[in-house]
């Protein structure tokens, strides 16, 4: 607690002297008329009445800006002066804050994206014109209303209740269900949140057009490619040591390998197109993940006749609820990549399936050449290659990790990649705990 200033201390000392002189005067007057006690009581009452009057004026002044108190006497004059200065400073601060708020609202209103300020209960405090147009909000009717009641979407409602940061969430537009809004919910301040809404309908339409084009082009390429492969197979038979095309054996073999690789690329593109368009509509069921992993590892060992050591660390009785075909694609692609890119006879691949506190995890670790950190963010892009020559020669299509990414998105899962050049790589899939199903031991 700070010490009073010299002026304040002097004021209170003067007030004590005035009180003492007033009471002494009242006592002396009472002695002269023979009623000293009564005179002293009158003096105290008069002094108290003066202070109550000034206190009443102060209370009226604090509750109403229109009523100004009198100048006051003694210590009350100092109190009125200090309060008046404080009130003036507060008025200036309020004007300055109001000006900042007006500038913020004016700048936010000019944004093409919608902005909605929500309180801790999810009620609308303020929104700009773009938010009103994108989400059909009206001012002032919707101010104070819960956003979950106006923008009906299960995921938005659940995240508003939990007051979480939802990252990026795509929802149908309440104005036109054919349009799509991208929402971001950002906590800030005293339990307040800022909702940013952007219209991505045109972007979604372009993505849909691109998917249709890739799917249609891939589908149309299958027929001529099938014809070419048929003729190449006939030519390979004639390209034996004593066949009519023996001199063309090497080129015909190379054409056959490239046609088979092109067929794998087309199949992968069609699979991606199916995942993007129909993946969420596939039937979901309980999947015995340990059994699936063991089966895939056995298939890889038989198909590749690999000399690599594949070590398994599988937690039994740990199942998932999901789409069997997609999860099989995820595990198969990661296992095949580990086998393909682990070079040398001393290659070791560790496959793990376990559960931690908040997720079920599948990981594949190899001791291959590893990947530079600059390449990691782009590994799941279509046809992105760290080493184009090596991937082409090994039979890769450049679409495996893109398929893995889409399959994991359908299961609300994430792919984490850790790699060091010369040490190896670890690919880890983390599935949310709500999809985990555990079998009790018999």
């Amino acid at each position: 607690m700070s010490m009073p200033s010299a002026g304040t201390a002097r004021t209170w000392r003067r007030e004590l002297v005035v009180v003492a002189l007033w009471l002494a005067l009242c006592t002396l007057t009472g002695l002269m008329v023979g009623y000293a006690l009564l005179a002293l009581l009158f003096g105290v009452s008069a002094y108290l009445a003066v202070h109550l009057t000034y206190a009443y004026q102060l209370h009226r002044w604090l509750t109403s800006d229109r009523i100004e108190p009198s100048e006051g006497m003694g210590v009350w004059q100092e109190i009125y002066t200090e309060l008046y200065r404080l009130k003036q400073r507060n008025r200036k601060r309020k004007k300055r804050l109001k000006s900042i708020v007006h500038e913020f609202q004016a700048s936010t209103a000019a944004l093409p994206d919608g902005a909605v300020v929500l309180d801790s209960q999810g009620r609308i405090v303020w929104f700009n014109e773009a938010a009103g147009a994108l989400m059909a909000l009206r001012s002032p009717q919707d101010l104070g209303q819960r956003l979950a009641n106006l923008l009906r979407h299960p995921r938005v409602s659940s995240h508003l209740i939990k007051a979480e940061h939802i990252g990026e969430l795509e929802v149908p537009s309440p104005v036109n269900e054919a349009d799509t809004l991208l929402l971001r919910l950002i906590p800030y301040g005293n339990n307040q949140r800022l909702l940013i809404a952007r219209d991505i309908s045109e972007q979604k339409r372009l993505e849909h057009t691109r998917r249709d084009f890739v799917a249609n082009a891939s589908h149309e390429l299958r027929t001529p490619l099938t014809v070419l492969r048929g003729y190449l197979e006939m030519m390979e038979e004639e390209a034996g040591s004593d066949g009519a095309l023996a001199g063309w054996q090497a080129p015909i073999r190379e054409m056959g390998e490239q046609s088979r690789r092109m067929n794998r690329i087309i199949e992968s593109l069609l699979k991606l197109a199916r995942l993007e368009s129909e993946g969420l509509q596939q039937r979901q069921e309980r999947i015995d993940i340990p059994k699936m992993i063991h089966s895939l590892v056995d298939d890889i060992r038989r198909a590749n006749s690999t000399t690599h050591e594949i070590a398994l660390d599988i937690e039994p009785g740990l199942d998932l609820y999901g789409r069997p075909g997609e999860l099989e694609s995820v595990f198969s692609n990661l296992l095949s990549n580990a086998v393909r890119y682990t070079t040398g006879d001393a290659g070791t691949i560790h496959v793990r399936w376990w559960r931690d506190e908040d997720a079920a995890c599948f990981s594949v670790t190899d001791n291959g050449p590893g990947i530079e950190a600059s390449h990691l963010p782009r590994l799941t892009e279509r046809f992105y290659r760290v080493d184009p020559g090596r991937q082409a020669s090994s039979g890769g299509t450049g679409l495996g990790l893109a398929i893995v990414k889409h399959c994991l998105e359908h299961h609300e899962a994430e792919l984490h990649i850790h790699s060091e050049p010369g040490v190896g790589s670890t690919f880890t899939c983390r599935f949310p705990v709500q999809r985990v199903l555990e079998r009790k031991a018999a």
Side-chain angles (χ1 to χ4, degrees):
M1 187 174 180
S2 60
M3 296 295 292
S5 63
T8 303
R10 186 167 54 252
T11 300
W12 280 99
R13 284 197 299 269
R14 185 169 62 249
E15 184 69 17
L16 291 175
V17 171
V18 171
V19 172
L21 291 176
W22 170 251
L23 294 179
L25 178 61
C26 290
T27 303
L28 182 61
T29 304
L31 291 174
M32 293 174 60
V33 297
Y35 297 99
L37 184 60
L38 185 61
L40 182 61
L41 181 61
F42 171 79
V44 171
S45 300
Y47 184 78
L48 181 61
V50 171
H51 280 278
L52 286 176
T53 302
Y54 288 135
Y56 173 70
Q57 291 181 0
L58 175 61
H59 184 257
R60 291 183 64 192
W61 181 35
L62 294 176
T63 55
S64 176
D65 291 335
R66 299 179 181 179
I67 300 176
E68 295 289 341
S70 60
E71 293 295 329
M73 295 177 56
V75 70
W76 282 103
Q77 185 178 8
E78 295 293 332
I79 291 174
Y80 287 160
T81 302
E82 291 299 324
L83 285 176
Y84 181 78
R85 290 172 183 171
L86 180 61
K87 205 166 186 179
Q88 288 297 106
R89 287 197 297 268
N90 287 337
R91 285 176 179 172
K92 292 180 180 179
R93 187 180 297 111
K94 186 183 295 185
K95 288 181 180 179
R96 188 165 58 253
L97 291 176
K98 187 179 294 185
S99 175
I100 293 173
V101 170
H102 285 321
E103 290 179 3
F104 167 76
Q105 291 180 346
S107 60
T108 309
L111 292 175
D113 297 338
V116 183
V117 177
L118 306 174
D119 63 10
S120 58
Q121 303 299 320
R123 293 186 293 258
I124 299 175
V125 178
W126 175 86
F127 59 88
N128 63 356
E129 293 182 4
L134 292 174
M135 294 185 283
L137 301 178
R138 300 171 299 169
S139 179
Q141 296 94 323
D142 292 335
L143 295 178
Q145 298 291 326
R146 292 182 181 273
L147 183 66
N149 297 335
L150 304 174
L151 189 63
R152 296 187 177 275
H153 191 278
R155 290 182 62 189
V156 173
S157 301
S158 62
H159 282 82
L160 286 175
I161 294 173
K162 297 177 183 178
E164 293 180 353
H165 172 62
I166 64 175
E168 294 186 351
L169 176 64
E170 296 180 5
V171 299
S173 170
V175 178
N176 184 1
E177 292 187 356
D179 295 336
T180 304
L181 298 181
L182 181 67
L183 304 182
R184 289 180 61 87
L185 186 64
I186 307 170
Y188 79 98
N190 187 18
N191 292 327
Q192 288 187 311
R193 283 157 291 172
L194 178 65
L195 183 74
I196 303 296
R198 176 179 298 175
D199 187 356
I200 58 170
S201 305
E202 187 62 27
Q203 178 183 341
K204 298 299 289 185
R205 281 191 283 269
L206 289 174
E207 290 180 359
H208 184 72
T209 302
R210 176 186 57 81
R211 283 199 307 268
D212 289 345
F213 171 77
V214 172
N216 293 334
S218 301
H219 183 75
E220 293 298 326
L221 285 173
R222 293 181 73 179
T223 300
L225 184 60
T226 302
V227 174
L228 288 175
R229 289 186 61 193
Y231 281 114
L232 285 172
E233 289 175 0
M234 293 172 58
M235 295 172 68
E236 286 177 350
E237 294 177 359
E238 296 295 327
S241 58
D242 52 354
L245 299 175
W248 293 82
Q249 185 176 15
I252 291 174
R253 184 185 302 112
E254 178 65 20
M255 286 188 291
E257 291 177 358
Q258 293 301 323
S259 67
R260 285 188 286 271
R261 180 168 177 270
M262 188 180 297
N263 186 67
R264 289 195 297 270
I265 292 175
I266 291 175
E267 293 295 334
S268 297
L269 286 172
L270 289 173
K271 188 171 188 176
L272 268 175
R274 286 194 298 268
L275 286 173
E276 291 176 336
S277 60
E278 302 176 358
L280 294 176
Q281 301 174 6
Q282 294 183 16
R283 181 175 58 88
Q284 300 191 58
E285 60 186 57
R286 181 171 189 149
I287 307 169
D288 188 341
I289 299 298
K291 181 179 178 181
M292 177 182 288
I293 295 174
H294 282 289
S295 176
L296 290 173
V297 170
D298 290 341
D299 291 342
I300 287 177
R301 284 170 174 164
R302 288 192 299 266
N304 295 275
S305 300
T306 179
T307 58
H308 301 319
E309 178 187 354
I310 302 179
L312 299 180
D313 181 10
I314 309 298
E315 184 175 330
L318 186 60
D319 299 343
L320 280 181
Y321 183 74
R323 304 168 181 86
E326 294 186 10
L327 291 181
E328 187 173 349
S329 294
V330 170
F331 301 151
S332 177
N333 272 297
L334 295 181
L335 289 169
S336 299
N337 286 345
V339 172
R340 183 181 300 117
Y341 299 129
T342 300
T343 57
D345 297 332
T348 303
I349 300 170
H350 292 275
V351 180
R352 292 188 62 202
W353 170 246
W354 79 101
R355 176 178 178 176
D356 59 17
E357 293 182 357
D358 57 353
C361 305
F362 172 81
S363 69
V364 179
T365 304
D366 62 64
N367 60 349
I371 305 169
E372 294 285 348
S374 59
H375 296 291
L376 296 182
R378 301 189 60 188
L379 283 182
T380 56
E381 294 181 10
R382 302 182 185 198
F383 299 111
Y384 183 79
R385 295 176 175 177
V386 177
D387 185 350
R390 184 187 67 180
Q391 191 162 7
S393 62
S394 61
T397 63
L399 295 170
L401 290 180
I403 293 175
V404 169
K405 175 186 175 182
H406 281 283
C407 293
L408 292 180
E409 286 177 351
H410 292 169
H411 292 81
E412 298 90 34
E414 299 175 343
L415 177 65
H416 299 273
I417 305 173
H418 175 75
S419 184
E420 294 184 30
V423 178
S425 306
T426 299
F427 291 79
T428 304
C429 307
R430 293 181 61 85
F431 296 90
V433 68
Q434 60 266 24
R435 286 190 171 269
V436 179
L437 302 171
E438 292 189 85
R439 283 174 281 145
K440 296 181 180 179

